[in-house]
Amino acid sequence: MLIFGWGWRVKHLRTLTLRCPHCGNTVAHPLYKRVLKLSLFFVPLIPLRVKHTVQCTACGTERDADPALLG
């Protein structure tokens, strides 16, 4: 019997001060690295997808990060 699944692992990289395109406020935006990993017997093994996102602390809108922010 094999037990497998997948799940997102989230890591906070840093906090940036940006202007939100949704609400227009200039506030802190945490930059997150999200990795979708395949797990076997509850041990995360293989990364399937990597995604970088920022989230506005004023309105909660989350969007994909601009590649220039990752450098």
Side-chain angles (χ1 to χ4, degrees):
M1 173 164 61
L2 291 175
I3 300 173
F4 68 93
W6 57 88
W8 288 98
R9 305 288 187 247
V10 180
K11 182 179 179 184
H12 178 260
L13 298 178
R14 62 181 164 235
T15 302
L16 308 166
T17 302
L18 303 171
R19 185 174 185 274
C20 179
H22 182 71
C23 67
N25 292 321
T26 302
V27 294
H29 286 71
L31 175 64
Y32 296 111
K33 179 180 181 181
R34 300 176 187 275
V35 181
L36 181 64
K37 288 195 174 186
L38 179 69
S39 300
L40 182 62
F41 295 108
F42 307 104
V43 178
L45 295 175
I46 302 169
L48 300 175
R49 184 175 177 195
V50 177
K51 185 174 164 181
H52 291 86
T53 60
V54 290
Q55 183 177 17
C56 177
T57 55
C59 66
T61 302
E62 187 173 305
R63 65 185 193 279
D64 290 339
D66 182 18
L69 296 175
L70 305 176

